[in-house]
Amino acid sequence: MSQIGVLALQGDFREHREAMERLPVTTREVRLPQNLDGLDGLIIPGGESTTIVRLLKTSGLLEPLQTLAREGFPMWGTCAGMILLAKRLDETGTPALQAMDITVRRNAFGRQVDSFEADLPIPALGDVPFHAVFIRAPIIEDVGTNVEVLSRLSNGTPVAAQEGRLLVTAFHPELTSDPRFHRHFLRIVARRA
């Protein structure tokens, strides 16, 4: 059975851990570099990206995560996690892990009161639309040639993508009862083994 780490410095890491454990999958909260030992994949949750980057630096996790990303370790970033995995950000930030060949714009929809939900077609997950929860969400402005866009808003804006073993969603699958994205990440992890 795979062991999935959930970065637990800030944000909604508990919701991701609980979603994985319902599958059931063994999880471990990651707060220090030694917590990475023996993991098969890592989820980087939503939260406040600037705060998470600061905590990555003080915990000593930034460099080990950059190394794992370069080595093709499976990682899934949701919302702020997507911002951390991007190689390029808009003018409001500096890339942290510089792993996925995407350009991300932070807080693309405005403030907290501008949060919304939408049913998205995601062929990789099947025929039933996925109910997505967007909270101060980023968007993907540009993708590299090896990046597969998994879903777009009705206006064409990419909000979920995959590049090899890296997965990103601008929304929060962990805030729904739909396990399909967590299962999709487990398939990515299984391909690595």
Side-chain angles (χ1 to χ4, degrees):
M1 179 186 290
S2 297
Q3 173 138 280
I4 303 299
V6 182
L7 187 66
L9 300 177
Q10 192 264 345
D12 55 349
F13 57 88
R14 285 183 190 89
E15 290 84 353
H16 272 294
R17 191 190 71 228
E18 291 166 358
M20 279 293 182
E21 290 171 351
R22 282 192 297 272
L23 288 180
V25 174
T26 305
T27 63
R28 177 189 314 152
E29 292 183 0
V30 173
R31 291 188 175 89
L32 297 168
Q34 57 264 34
N35 301 145
L36 296 168
D37 295 342
L39 293 179
D40 299 300
L42 178 71
I43 298 172
I44 304 172
E48 208 293 305
S49 60
T50 305
T51 300
I52 295 172
V53 170
R54 190 175 67 247
L55 294 171
L56 284 174
K57 290 175 182 175
T58 60
S59 68
L61 277 166
L62 183 61
E63 288 182 15
L65 290 183
Q66 288 171 331
T67 299
L68 285 173
R70 280 193 302 272
E71 294 172 351
F73 187 76
M75 294 186 191
W76 173 20
T78 61
C79 198
M82 181 171 94
I83 295 167
L84 269 63
L85 283 172
K87 280 190 177 175
R88 298 171 300 281
L89 298 180
D90 64 5
E91 67 283 350
T92 66
T94 303
L97 300 181
Q98 302 177 33
M100 192 169 183
D101 192 9
I102 57 175
T103 303
V104 170
R105 180 161 44 108
R106 301 178 346 158
N107 296 330
F109 301 100
R111 301 165 39 129
Q112 188 84 15
V113 296
D114 300 310
S115 299
F116 65 98
E117 299 180 19
D119 290 328
L120 302 176
I122 305 177
L125 302 184
D127 295 333
V128 176
F130 190 90
H131 189 73
V133 178
F134 292 84
I135 303 171
R136 292 185 64 210
I139 59 167
I140 300 169
E141 292 190 312
D142 185 49
V143 299
T145 55
N146 294 322
V147 176
E148 177 187 4
V149 174
L150 299 178
S151 185
R152 298 175 185 270
L153 294 174
S154 59
N155 66 4
T157 300
V159 291
Q162 183 175 337
E163 181 182 20
R165 296 185 185 110
L166 300 175
L167 176 67
V168 293
T169 54
F171 48 90
H172 294 268
E174 74 283 4
L175 298 181
T176 74
S177 59
D178 189 335
R180 290 181 291 162
F181 253 107
H182 289 82
R183 284 193 184 123
H184 183 70
F185 182 61
L186 290 176
R187 286 192 294 272
I188 293 170
V189 170
R191 285 199 300 266
R192 177 177 185 254

Coordinates of all heavy atoms in Angstrom, one line a residue, residues 7 10-12 16 42-50 52-53 56 65 75-87 89 96-100 102 104 106 136 138 166-172 174:
L7 N 1.7 17.8 3.2 CA 2.4 18.9 3.8 C 1.5 19.5 4.8 O 0.4 20.0 4.5 CB 2.9 19.9 2.7 CG 3.8 21.0 3.2 CD1 5.1 20.5 3.6 CD2 3.9 22.0 2.1
Q10 N 0.6 24.5 7.0 CA -0.5 25.5 7.1 C -1.5 25.1 6.1 O -1.2 24.4 5.1 CB 0.1 26.9 6.8 CG -0.8 28.1 7.1 CD -1.5 28.6 5.8 OE1 -1.2 28.2 4.7 NE2 -2.6 29.4 6.1
G11 N -2.7 25.5 6.2 CA -3.8 25.2 5.2 C -4.6 24.0 5.6 O -4.6 23.6 6.7
D12 N -5.3 23.5 4.5 CA -6.3 22.4 4.8 C -5.7 21.0 4.6 O -6.3 20.2 3.9 CB -7.5 22.6 3.9 CG -7.1 22.7 2.4 OD1 -5.9 22.8 2.1 OD2 -8.0 22.7 1.6
H16 N -7.2 16.8 3.3 CA -6.6 15.9 2.4 C -6.3 14.6 3.1 O -6.5 13.5 2.5 CB -5.3 16.5 1.8 CG -5.5 17.4 0.6 ND1 -5.9 16.8 -0.6 CD2 -5.3 18.7 0.4 CE1 -6.0 17.8 -1.5 NE2 -5.6 18.9 -0.9
L42 N 3.4 13.1 -2.4 CA 3.1 14.2 -1.5 C 2.0 15.1 -2.0 O 2.0 15.4 -3.2 CB 4.4 15.0 -1.3 CG 4.3 16.2 -0.4 CD1 4.2 15.8 1.1 CD2 5.5 17.1 -0.6
I43 N 1.1 15.5 -1.1 CA 0.1 16.4 -1.4 C 0.5 17.8 -0.8 O 0.8 17.8 0.4 CB -1.3 16.0 -0.9 CG1 -1.7 14.7 -1.6 CG2 -2.3 17.1 -1.1 CD1 -3.0 14.1 -1.0
I44 N 0.4 18.8 -1.6 CA 0.7 20.2 -1.1 C -0.7 20.9 -1.0 O -1.2 21.2 -2.1 CB 1.7 20.9 -1.9 CG1 3.0 20.1 -2.0 CG2 2.0 22.3 -1.4 CD1 4.0 20.6 -3.0
P45 N -1.2 21.1 0.1 CA -2.6 21.6 0.2 C -2.7 23.1 -0.1 O -1.8 23.8 -0.2 CB -3.0 21.3 1.7 CG -1.7 21.5 2.4 CD -0.6 20.9 1.4
G46 N -4.0 23.5 -0.1 CA -4.3 24.9 -0.2 C -4.0 25.6 1.1 O -3.9 24.9 2.1
G47 N -3.9 26.9 1.1 CA -3.6 27.7 2.3 C -3.2 29.1 1.8 O -3.6 29.5 0.7
E48 N -2.2 29.6 2.4 CA -1.7 31.0 2.0 C -0.3 30.7 1.5 O 0.6 30.4 2.3 CB -1.7 31.9 3.2 CG -1.9 33.4 2.9 CD -0.6 33.9 2.1 OE1 0.5 33.7 2.7 OE2 -0.8 34.4 1.0
S49 N -0.1 30.9 0.2 CA 1.2 30.4 -0.4 C 2.4 31.1 0.2 O 3.4 30.5 0.4 CB 1.1 30.6 -1.9 OG 0.9 32.0 -2.3
T50 N 2.3 32.4 0.5 CA 3.5 33.2 1.0 C 3.8 32.6 2.4 O 5.0 32.4 2.7 CB 3.1 34.7 1.1 OG1 2.7 35.1 -0.2 CG2 4.3 35.4 1.6
I52 N 3.2 29.5 3.5 CA 3.7 28.2 3.3 C 5.2 28.2 2.8 O 6.0 27.5 3.4 CB 2.8 27.4 2.3 CG1 1.4 27.1 2.9 CG2 3.5 26.0 2.0 CD1 0.4 26.5 1.9
V53 N 5.5 29.1 1.9 CA 6.9 29.2 1.5 C 7.8 29.6 2.6 O 8.9 29.0 2.8 CB 7.0 30.2 0.3 CG1 8.5 30.5 0.0 CG2 6.3 29.7 -0.9
L56 N 8.3 26.6 4.7 CA 9.1 25.6 4.0 C 10.6 25.9 4.3 O 11.4 25.0 4.5 CB 8.9 25.6 2.5 CG 7.6 24.9 2.0 CD1 7.5 25.1 0.5 CD2 7.6 23.4 2.4
L65 N 12.3 19.4 -1.0 CA 11.1 19.3 -1.9 C 11.5 19.7 -3.4 O 11.0 19.1 -4.3 CB 10.0 20.1 -1.4 CG 9.3 19.6 -0.2 CD1 8.1 20.5 0.2 CD2 8.8 18.2 -0.3
M75 N 3.8 14.6 -6.9 CA 3.3 15.6 -6.1 C 2.0 16.2 -6.7 O 1.9 16.3 -7.9 CB 4.3 16.8 -5.9 CG 5.6 16.4 -5.2 SD 6.6 17.9 -5.0 CE 8.1 17.2 -4.4
W76 N 1.1 16.5 -5.8 CA -0.2 17.1 -6.2 C -0.3 18.4 -5.4 O -0.3 18.4 -4.1 CB -1.3 16.1 -5.9 CG -2.7 16.7 -6.1 CD1 -3.1 17.8 -6.8 CD2 -3.9 16.2 -5.6 NE1 -4.4 17.9 -6.8 CE2 -5.0 17.0 -6.0 CE3 -4.2 15.1 -4.7 CZ2 -6.3 16.7 -5.6 CZ3 -5.5 14.8 -4.4 CH2 -6.5 15.7 -4.8
G77 N -0.5 19.5 -6.0 CA -0.7 20.8 -5.4 C -2.1 21.3 -5.7 O -2.6 21.4 -6.8
T78 N -2.8 21.6 -4.6 CA -4.2 22.2 -4.7 C -4.1 23.7 -4.3 O -3.6 24.0 -3.3 CB -5.2 21.5 -3.9 OG1 -4.9 21.5 -2.5 CG2 -5.3 20.0 -4.3
C79 N -4.7 24.5 -5.1 CA -4.8 26.0 -4.9 C -3.4 26.5 -4.6 O -2.6 26.7 -5.4 CB -5.8 26.2 -3.8 SG -6.4 28.0 -3.7
A80 N -3.1 26.8 -3.3 CA -1.7 27.3 -3.0 C -0.7 26.3 -3.4 O 0.4 26.7 -3.8 CB -1.7 27.7 -1.5
G81 N -1.0 25.1 -3.3 CA 0.0 24.0 -3.7 C 0.3 24.1 -5.2 O 1.4 23.9 -5.6
M82 N -0.7 24.5 -6.0 CA -0.4 24.7 -7.4 C 0.5 25.9 -7.6 O 1.4 25.8 -8.4 CB -1.7 25.0 -8.1 CG -1.6 25.3 -9.6 SD -3.2 25.3 -10.5 CE -3.4 27.1 -10.5
I83 N 0.4 26.9 -6.8 CA 1.3 28.1 -6.9 C 2.7 27.7 -6.5 O 3.7 28.1 -7.2 CB 0.8 29.2 -5.9 CG1 -0.6 29.7 -6.4 CG2 1.8 30.3 -5.8 CD1 -1.3 30.6 -5.4
L84 N 2.9 26.8 -5.5 CA 4.2 26.4 -5.1 C 4.9 25.5 -6.2 O 6.1 25.6 -6.3 CB 4.1 25.6 -3.8 CG 4.3 26.5 -2.5 CD1 3.2 27.5 -2.4 CD2 4.4 25.6 -1.3
L85 N 4.1 24.7 -6.9 CA 4.7 23.8 -7.9 C 5.0 24.5 -9.2 O 5.8 24.0 -10.0 CB 3.7 22.6 -8.1 CG 3.7 21.6 -7.1 CD1 2.6 20.6 -7.3 CD2 5.1 20.9 -7.0
A86 N 4.5 25.7 -9.5 CA 4.6 26.3 -10.8 C 6.1 26.8 -11.0 O 6.8 27.2 -10.0 CB 3.7 27.5 -10.8
K87 N 6.5 26.7 -12.2 CA 7.8 27.2 -12.6 C 7.8 28.8 -12.7 O 8.8 29.4 -12.5 CB 8.3 26.6 -13.9 CG 8.9 25.3 -13.8 CD 9.6 24.8 -15.1 CE 10.2 23.5 -14.8 NZ 10.8 22.9 -16.1
L89 N 5.4 32.4 -12.0 CA 4.2 33.1 -11.4 C 4.1 34.5 -12.0 O 5.0 35.0 -12.6 CB 4.4 33.3 -9.9 CG 4.6 32.0 -9.0 CD1 4.7 32.5 -7.5 CD2 3.3 31.2 -9.1
A96 N 8.5 28.8 -6.0 CA 9.1 28.2 -4.8 C 9.8 26.9 -5.2 O 11.0 26.7 -5.1 CB 8.1 27.9 -3.7
L97 N 9.0 25.9 -5.7 CA 9.6 24.6 -6.1 C 10.0 24.5 -7.5 O 10.8 23.7 -7.9 CB 8.5 23.5 -5.7 CG 8.1 23.4 -4.3 CD1 7.1 22.3 -4.0 CD2 9.3 23.2 -3.4
Q98 N 9.4 25.4 -8.4 CA 9.8 25.5 -9.8 C 9.8 24.1 -10.4 O 10.8 23.7 -11.1 CB 11.2 26.2 -9.9 CG 11.2 27.5 -9.3 CD 12.6 28.2 -9.3 OE1 13.3 27.9 -10.3 NE2 12.9 29.0 -8.3
A99 N 8.7 23.4 -10.3 CA 8.7 22.0 -10.8 C 7.9 21.8 -12.0 O 8.3 21.1 -12.9 CB 8.1 21.1 -9.6
M100 N 6.7 22.4 -12.1 CA 5.8 22.2 -13.2 C 5.8 23.3 -14.2 O 5.8 24.5 -13.9 CB 4.4 22.0 -12.7 CG 3.4 21.4 -13.7 SD 1.9 20.9 -12.8 CE 1.0 20.3 -14.2
I102 N 4.3 25.5 -15.9 CA 3.1 26.3 -15.9 C 3.4 27.7 -15.4 O 4.3 27.9 -14.6 CB 1.9 25.7 -15.2 CG1 2.2 25.5 -13.7 CG2 1.4 24.4 -15.8 CD1 1.1 25.0 -12.8
V104 N 1.3 30.6 -13.3 CA 0.2 30.7 -12.5 C 0.0 32.2 -12.1 O 0.9 32.9 -11.7 CB 0.3 29.8 -11.2 CG1 -0.8 30.1 -10.2 CG2 0.3 28.4 -11.7
R106 N -1.9 34.3 -9.2 CA -2.5 34.1 -7.8 C -3.8 35.0 -7.7 O -3.9 36.0 -8.4 CB -1.5 34.5 -6.8 CG -0.2 33.7 -6.9 CD 0.9 34.1 -5.9 NE 0.8 35.3 -5.2 CZ 1.4 35.5 -4.0 NH1 2.2 34.6 -3.5 NH2 1.3 36.7 -3.4
R136 N -10.5 31.9 -3.3 CA -9.3 32.8 -3.6 C -8.4 32.1 -4.6 O -7.2 32.0 -4.4 CB -8.6 33.2 -2.4 CG -9.5 34.1 -1.5 CD -8.7 34.7 -0.3 NE -7.6 35.5 -0.8 CZ -6.4 35.7 -0.1 NH1 -6.2 35.0 1.0 NH2 -5.5 36.4 -0.6
P138 N -6.1 30.5 -7.7 CA -5.3 30.9 -8.8 C -5.8 30.3 -10.1 O -6.7 29.5 -10.1 CB -3.9 30.2 -8.4 CG -4.4 29.0 -7.7 CD -5.6 29.3 -7.0
L166 N 3.4 15.1 -11.8 CA 3.0 16.3 -11.1 C 1.5 16.6 -11.5 O 1.2 16.6 -12.6 CB 3.8 17.5 -11.4 CG 5.3 17.4 -11.1 CD1 6.1 18.6 -11.6 CD2 5.5 17.3 -9.6
L167 N 0.7 16.9 -10.5 CA -0.7 17.2 -10.7 C -1.0 18.5 -10.0 O -0.5 18.7 -8.8 CB -1.5 16.0 -10.1 CG -3.1 16.2 -10.1 CD1 -3.6 16.1 -11.5 CD2 -3.7 15.0 -9.3
V168 N -1.8 19.4 -10.6 CA -2.3 20.6 -9.9 C -3.7 20.8 -10.2 O -4.3 20.5 -11.2 CB -1.4 21.8 -10.4 CG1 0.0 21.7 -9.9 CG2 -1.5 22.1 -11.9
T169 N -4.4 21.4 -9.1 CA -5.8 21.8 -9.3 C -5.9 23.2 -8.6 O -5.4 23.4 -7.5 CB -6.8 20.9 -8.6 OG1 -6.4 20.7 -7.2 CG2 -6.8 19.5 -9.3
A170 N -6.6 24.1 -9.3 CA -6.8 25.5 -8.7 C -7.9 25.4 -7.7 O -8.0 26.4 -6.9 CB -7.2 26.4 -9.8
F171 N -8.6 24.4 -7.6 CA -9.7 24.2 -6.7 C -9.4 23.2 -5.6 O -8.3 22.6 -5.6 CB -11.0 23.8 -7.5 CG -10.8 22.7 -8.4 CD1 -11.0 21.4 -8.1 CD2 -10.4 23.0 -9.8 CE1 -10.8 20.4 -9.0 CE2 -10.2 22.0 -10.7 CZ -10.4 20.7 -10.3
H172 N -10.4 22.9 -4.8 CA -10.1 22.1 -3.6 C -11.0 20.8 -3.6 O -12.0 20.7 -3.0 CB -10.5 22.9 -2.3 CG -9.7 24.1 -2.0 ND1 -8.6 24.0 -1.2 CD2 -9.8 25.3 -2.5 CE1 -8.0 25.2 -1.2 NE2 -8.7 26.0 -1.9
E174 N -10.5 18.2 -1.9 CA -10.6 17.7 -0.5 C -11.8 18.3 0.3 O -12.2 17.7 1.3 CB -9.3 18.0 0.3 CG -9.1 19.4 0.7 CD -8.6 20.3 -0.5 OE1 -8.5 19.9 -1.6 OE2 -8.4 21.5 -0.1

